[in-house]
Amino acid sequence: MHPEMHRVAEVVAPVDRAKAAIDLMADYQGRVVELSRIRREAIEEAAAAGMSQSEIAALLGVSRGRVGQLASQGPPPERAFFGTDLMTISLGGKYEAGKSASENPGEVVAREDLGNFDRLRKLLSTLKLDAQYEVIPPSGMVNLNRENHVVVCGPRLSPIIAQVLEGDDYLRFEKDSAWHLVDLKTDERYRSPMDEDGTAGDFGYLARLPRLDGRGTFLYAAGIHAIGANGVVHFLENNLPELYREVRTRRFSTVISCRYDPKTLEVVESKRVTPIYRHEA
């Protein structure tokens, strides 16, 4: 018997044993899903390298028809771009407007960010990932040292995030008369059309950044304005497979532009306007 199964079987109290079995089954099921993704990706890579289904089948010791089945089973390869288990989406919080500290103002999240969570949750569900959100308190303190984590919060709301962003040698948020994004390699400055002439558009920053403990990364999205992050999510909804093929799970950053309907505030177009800057050799 496998050691983990033996451990569960040795739990004395029946209810505790049942709970341990349920927890272990959930862990195993999660591993099966991720292994099926790895298998699917490997078969797709072999096919992309020029191997026929018959050749792949012979090497795997299965029928050609079975290879076709395996190539369509499990979540798509790009699931790995986000994670392998329950995702936590951290949203930047502010105090309720118009209330003083003595009134114990509540912590609120911008409507655009709640919309981002809903759209991310739907995208993640197509990848067989569940999601939950948490509100980053107005102090900006957020735990970055965990897996399966996406942060949607501008640097002005979190000094921790601002500190991490300083490690990007390619792109940077800066402020003069207004916040904007700068490409440090070309000195191109991306100023929000909302600030320039009131046009219904914005820019967003998308990156995979290092955790503070140096043991992994987290995904990060932020706009010059809140709706810029909506543009990033729109871009992910429409370009995730291609983006994953470019960067896999390595560190990177890029700038996304978006246009939105000024009446509904729905993003109608998004596109990448800088190179995908890779932070790792």
Side-chain angles (χ1 to χ4, degrees), residues 32 106 113 153 161 183 192-193 221 240 247 265:
V32 167
D113 285 340
C153 176
I161 293 297
D183 185 324
S192 175
L240 182 58
V247 301
L265 300 182

Side-chain angles (χ1 to χ4, degrees), residues 161-266:
I161 293 297
Q163 181 180 0
V164 174
L165 289 175
E166 289 179 0
D168 187 340
D169 295 328
Y170 303 95
L171 300 169
R172 190 71 49 85
F173 279 94
E174 289 187 1
K175 184 180 181 182
D176 42 30
S177 60
W179 283 93
H180 57 282
L181 282 158
V182 182
D183 185 324
L184 300 175
K185 295 302 178 183
T186 65
D187 203 33
E188 181 79 20
R189 293 178 182 268
Y190 298 93
R191 298 182 180 274
S192 175
M194 297 169 64
D195 298 323
E196 296 292 284
D197 57 15
T199 302
D202 200 17
F203 291 99
Y205 173 91
L206 170 63
R208 184 183 300 280
L209 300 171
R211 288 166 28 174
L212 296 179
D213 63 3
R215 297 178 180 177
T217 60
F218 65 96
L219 283 172
Y220 178 74
I224 295 175
H225 297 284
I227 204 161
N230 294 52
V232 172
V233 174
H234 183 275
F235 180 81
L236 290 173
E237 289 174 322
N238 292 280
N239 299 276
L240 182 58
E242 296 82 3
L243 180 61
Y244 174 69
R245 284 196 291 269
E246 286 278 338
V247 301
R248 301 289 174 145
T249 58
R250 296 183 291 271
R251 289 168 49 194
F252 75 95
S253 59
T254 192
V255 172
I256 306 298
S257 72
C258 71
R259 292 189 305 107
Y260 62 92
D261 185 322
K263 295 181 179 179
T264 65
L265 300 182
E266 286 290 319

Side-chain angles (χ1 to χ4, degrees), residues 131-152:
Q132 62 185 4
Y133 81 86
E134 66 177 18
V135 179
I136 300 173
S139 65
M141 298 301 292
V142 56
N143 176 18
L144 301 177
N145 299 331
R146 45 185 160 161
E147 298 180 348
N148 306 308
H149 191 200
V150 180
V151 176
V152 183

Side-chain angles (χ1 to χ4, degrees), residues 21-22 31 51 136:
I22 290 170
R31 295 184 192 187
M51 294 184 68
I136 300 173

